Amino acid sequence: MKTDLSHYDNSWYNPGGETLKRILWYFTNALFFINPLNPFSGIRVCLLRLFGAKIGKKVVIKPGGNIKYPWNLSIGDYSWIGENVWIDNLTHVTIGSNVCISQGAMLLCGNHDYKRPTFDLMVKSIVIENGAWVGAQSTVCPGVTMHSHSVLAVGSIASKDLMPYSIYRGNPAVKVAERVMFES
């Protein structure tokens, strides 16, 4: 059996939003998010809300990011999204409060079934709970939950859930330590 992309069919997939809304978002995303010349986080937050994202208070979204479908995105209070973050939210991504997603990180809700010759699309939600930190250049794979205050170290790949107050590193990410927090 060989891969045969001529029979690929994802007609079952519906990202939500009407066609006009998706087209408008495509250009808005290119002009105000991917384009690093817009330094104003507040404009990005307002635009995300306008397109249906649920965004908490005092959220910071740095320039150069790419968000696939804002209507599939929820972000809690005081969270930070770093430069060049790619949120490929083909389905829902939930980001809690006080979360840091560092520069160049990727949240990927989609994948393909490499066992099928038609390379079928598969989508699963991502949940990043309160206080978690996704390190720079890290990847969170479809279906992963990063539990409360978990850490995914720089350049790591989370393909399974991360337990609370735990630090993970590597590809695939494995637990390397407990996260101990001190009062300020």
Side-chain angles (χ1 to χ4, degrees):
M1 186 77 55
K2 295 181 180 180
T3 300
D4 182 1
L5 296 179
S6 69
H7 295 290
Y8 177 77
D9 177 21
N10 71 339
S11 60
W12 61 269
Y13 174 70
N14 179 1
E18 298 171 9
T19 302
L20 179 60
K21 184 177 184 179
R22 289 197 304 267
I23 292 168
L24 287 172
W25 173 250
Y26 176 84
F27 289 106
T28 301
N29 191 35
L31 291 171
F32 294 98
F33 288 80
I34 298 170
N35 179 350
L37 298 177
N38 170 22
F40 304 107
S41 177
I43 291 172
R44 286 186 287 278
V45 167
C46 287
L47 288 168
L48 284 171
R49 287 179 179 144
L50 182 67
F51 277 89
K54 294 173 181 68
I55 309 291
K57 61 186 174 189
K58 304 285 186 171
V59 169
V60 174
I61 301 176
K62 296 287 189 168
N66 189 355
I67 297 170
K68 187 76 151 208
Y69 299 123
W71 46 88
N72 288 337
L73 180 63
S74 298
I75 304 175
D77 300 334
Y78 306 105
S79 289
W80 303 344
I81 309 296
E83 292 91 348
N84 302 314
V85 168
W86 171 217
I87 301 176
D88 189 26
N89 55 335
L90 298 171
T91 189
H92 204 78
V93 169
T94 302
I95 299 168
S97 295
N98 301 294
V99 169
C100 179
I101 301 178
S102 295
Q103 61 273 21
M106 294 190 297
L107 308 182
L108 305 175
C109 289
N111 204 345
H112 294 276
D113 188 349
Y114 61 85
K115 295 177 183 175
R116 300 187 51 84
T118 51
F119 211 51
D120 297 350
L121 178 66
M122 303 181 303
V123 295
K124 293 182 182 177
S125 297
I126 291 173
V127 176
I128 302 177
E129 293 181 354
N130 296 343
W133 178 14
V134 180
Q137 301 294 321
S138 292
T139 302
V140 179
C141 294
V144 168
T145 296
M146 288 183 63
H147 290 281
S148 176
H149 296 82
S150 59
V151 175
L152 182 61
V154 172
S156 297
I157 299 179
S159 55
K160 297 189 177 181
D161 291 356
L162 278 58
M163 294 299 101
Y165 290 92
S166 298
I167 300 171
Y168 289 77
R169 179 175 50 223
N171 177 11
V174 294
K175 184 176 175 178
V176 295
E178 295 289 329
R179 182 178 185 185
V180 179
M181 301 183 73
F182 303 100
E183 291 294 322
S184 358

